Amino acid sequence: MFHLKLKDTLKHSIATVTSHMDSFVYNPGRDYSRIRKLSPDHVISFLISQGASSTKCEFLDFFQMSEDLPSISALNQRRSQMMPEALEAVFHEFTSSSEKLELSKQEQQYQYIAADGSTTSFFSFSKYSSDDYFISEGHSASGFYSIHINAFYDINKRIYTDAILQSAHKKR
């Protein structure tokens, strides 16, 4: 099934980047040189899969509430050793590898849609923006505007098919 091919492609992309981790750390030969509970592939996989819940909840979910769960402090320490370019390299590797995936005849019958939501904040004048998007309760002295974007991407055609723009107050 196509989703399993995509998952394997992502795992392979992460493994490719972490196989030459010294290119993506601040102290080559030192950072990520010892085996710990949080390997570079675990850190990258966690950062990619992290949702909107608290880091603690996401961490428990990622490690399936394991008894030998690493600490959040360990995550922060390991994350600080990794340059942001590591995630960028995974993105480029995954994108180029996923373009080469072929669909079976059965898979070609389906439309594969990826969906993700993001909230973005912006400053504006009230005459230009609806009050539905205004947020003031404790976030800022003068308030700001916030919009939630749900984007839908057709994986086969490699195009965005739709987007829903919502007030941050009414996001789903």
Side-chain angles (χ1 to χ4, degrees), residues 84-103:
E85 289 81 3
L87 294 171
E88 184 179 349
V90 170
F91 172 77
H92 289 298
E93 178 69 28
F94 175 72
T95 303
S96 64
S97 297
S98 64
E99 288 176 352
K100 299 171 190 166
L101 291 176
E102 293 186 24
L103 299 171

Side-chain angles (χ1 to χ4, degrees), residues 130-137 142-146 167 169:
S130 167
D131 287 340
D132 290 342
Y133 299 98
F134 186 74
I135 296 178
S136 64
E137 61 270 350
S142 59
F144 58 91
Y145 293 86
S146 188
S167 158
H169 300 293

Side-chain angles (χ1 to χ4, degrees), residues 21-36:
M21 198 61 199
D22 272 356
S23 303
F24 302 106
V25 295
Y26 292 105
N27 299 304
R30 187 170 157 233
D31 293 342
Y32 288 100
S33 61
R34 293 177 31 199
I35 298 173
R36 305 259 174 119

Side-chain angles (χ1 to χ4, degrees), residues 2 24 30 33 45 50-51 54 56-57 71 99 101 104 106 108 115 124 132 134 138 141-142 147 150 155-156 161 167:
F2 187 69
F24 302 106
R30 187 170 157 233
S33 61
S45 296
Q50 188 174 15
S54 70
K56 183 178 181 180
C57 290
S71 68
E99 288 176 352
L101 291 176
S104 68
Q106 182 182 9
Q108 290 174 8
S124 183
D132 290 342
F134 186 74
S142 59
I147 191 167
N150 288 307
I155 295 171
N156 298 342
T161 60
S167 158

Side-chain angles (χ1 to χ4, degrees), residues 7 17 20 27-29 51 58-59 62 104 109 125 130 148 166:
K7 189 174 181 179
V17 169
H20 53 319
N27 299 304
E58 294 288 341
F59 216 48
F62 183 79
S104 68
Q109 297 174 19
F125 296 107
S130 167
H148 188 78
Q166 299 172 307

Side-chain angles (χ1 to χ4, degrees), residues 6-172:
L6 274 177
K7 189 174 181 179
D8 288 341
T9 302
L10 178 60
K11 286 180 181 179
H12 177 72
S13 299
I14 293 169
T16 300
V17 169
T18 58
S19 68
H20 53 319
M21 198 61 199
D22 272 356
S23 303
F24 302 106
V25 295
Y26 292 105
N27 299 304
R30 187 170 157 233
D31 293 342
Y32 288 100
S33 61
R34 293 177 31 199
I35 298 173
R36 305 259 174 119
K37 286 182 183 179
L38 280 172
S39 63
D41 58 322
H42 275 113
V43 173
I44 291 172
S45 296
F46 175 74
L47 293 173
I48 289 173
S49 67
Q50 188 174 15
S53 295
S54 70
T55 302
K56 183 178 181 180
C57 290
E58 294 288 341
F59 216 48
L60 286 168
D61 187 41
F62 183 79
F63 284 98
Q64 300 174 347
M65 300 181 88
S66 172
E67 288 182 17
D68 59 337
L69 175 76
S71 68
I72 301 299
S73 176
L75 170 69
N76 292 332
Q77 289 171 18
R78 297 295 266 179
R79 174 63 187 99
S80 69
Q81 295 173 342
M82 186 183 303
M83 296 166 52
E85 289 81 3
L87 294 171
E88 184 179 349
V90 170
F91 172 77
H92 289 298
E93 178 69 28
F94 175 72
T95 303
S96 64
S97 297
S98 64
E99 288 176 352
K100 299 171 190 166
L101 291 176
E102 293 186 24
L103 299 171
S104 68
K105 287 188 180 200
Q106 182 182 9
E107 290 169 339
Q108 290 174 8
Q109 297 174 19
Y110 299 99
Q111 184 179 24
Y112 293 95
I113 303 291
D116 192 20
S118 297
T119 300
T120 185
S121 298
F122 58 95
F123 293 95
S124 183
F125 296 107
S126 58
K127 63 182 176 183
Y128 299 126
S129 299
S130 167
D131 287 340
D132 290 342
Y133 299 98
F134 186 74
I135 296 178
S136 64
E137 61 270 350
H139 295 283
S140 167
S142 59
F144 58 91
Y145 293 86
S146 188
I147 191 167
H148 188 78
I149 304 163
N150 288 307
F152 302 94
Y153 184 77
D154 186 315
I155 295 171
N156 298 342
K157 296 179 183 175
R158 294 177 177 77
I159 60 169
Y160 284 94
T161 60
D162 200 359
I164 299 171
L165 305 177
Q166 299 172 307
S167 158
H169 300 293
K170 298 177 183 175
K171 69 180 182 180
R172 293 185 236 160

